[in-house]
Amino acid sequence: MARPYTVASHLHYFNIPLADFTAARPEFESFAVGGYIFARHDPAKPRILLLQRAITDTMGGCWEGPGGASEPESDKTLLDGVVREVLEETGLHVSRIVDLVAVDSWQHLRRNRGDMLRIAKYSFIVDVYEGELPREQIPVRLEASEHQAFEWAVEEEVRRSMQGSGRYQLPLPPTGHQGPNILRSFAWCKEQAAKSTKESL
């Protein structure tokens, strides 16, 4: 069960009824969300949680952050969808929606209808209650039908993977936004660390 969570003040625009949010964007028929999670016990070398898609699923073997489709039947807001997806895919409980990383859009062919489904995805950085624990003790629990492994990745390995020489196979276009968005998340993490250092001086 999801726990109460807070939302950074500059993100409250997203914390409106999902029906209102989607109605304001008629150019899209489907909405997706993502929640990037960092293990922060070593601020000098942050690690981000990546999940490997089940080999039997679409894009099997690829690595990604937690996320999925927004569900109007259960998500009161877009941010509720982030919280739900993180819980379903990792077993972790979001405590705070921290910042927006990226907004991506693409089209997907609906073979049964012969037309294109227009999708928008909103990816956020989130904190989780379990994040207070050392990285090795964070109790990640995967949904076996969707993901088969997880790792706490460092930025250097993600960069190598984007260049084709790293350990992570990242999704290809049109949904190949994972690599750039993961690097944006690391950049955000560095900015926050720099601010904290400056404020402590």
Side-chain angles (χ1 to χ4, degrees), residues 36-40 42-50 65 99-102 124-125 135 151-162 168 170 178-194:
Y36 292 114
I37 303 166
F38 281 95
R40 299 186 181 180
D42 182 6
K45 200 173 186 68
R47 291 174 178 264
I48 196 168
L49 179 61
L50 296 185
D99 212 343
L100 177 69
V101 175
F124 299 86
I125 292 174
R135 171 170 48 86
E151 289 191 11
W152 293 96
V154 296
E155 180 180 2
E156 294 81 359
E157 191 61 36
V158 174
R159 288 190 179 278
R160 284 195 292 269
S161 297
M162 291 181 66
Y168 305 119
L170 298 168
Q178 288 285 340
N181 288 351
I182 291 167
L183 294 184
R184 289 189 187 100
S185 299
F186 275 111
W188 178 92
C189 218
K190 289 178 181 177
E191 290 173 4
Q192 299 306 304

Side-chain angles (χ1 to χ4, degrees), residues 93-159:
H93 299 81
V94 171
S95 59
R96 184 169 178 80
I97 309 290
V98 180
D99 212 343
L100 177 69
V101 175
V103 180
D104 300 286
S105 62
W106 67 93
Q107 296 186 6
H108 175 73
L109 176 62
R110 291 186 282 199
R111 298 186 184 279
N112 60 328
R113 296 177 53 171
D115 63 355
M116 303 300 290
L117 178 69
R118 297 169 297 179
I119 304 167
K121 181 176 181 180
Y122 294 78
S123 298
F124 299 86
I125 292 174
V126 303
D127 287 339
V128 295
Y129 284 95
E130 296 85 351
E132 298 298 322
L133 297 170
R135 171 170 48 86
E136 297 80 4
Q137 297 178 22
I138 297 176
V140 177
R141 297 193 310 274
L142 301 180
E143 173 53 58
S145 64
E146 295 188 34
H147 297 100
Q148 62 188 24
F150 73 90
E151 289 191 11
W152 293 96
V154 296
E155 180 180 2
E156 294 81 359
E157 191 61 36
V158 174
R159 288 190 179 278

Side-chain angles (χ1 to χ4, degrees), residues 13-32:
Y13 175 75
F14 295 97
N15 206 24
I16 63 174
L18 184 58
D20 294 344
F21 185 87
T22 58
R25 295 158 181 80
E27 66 272 28
F28 298 109
E29 291 102 14
S30 182
F31 293 82

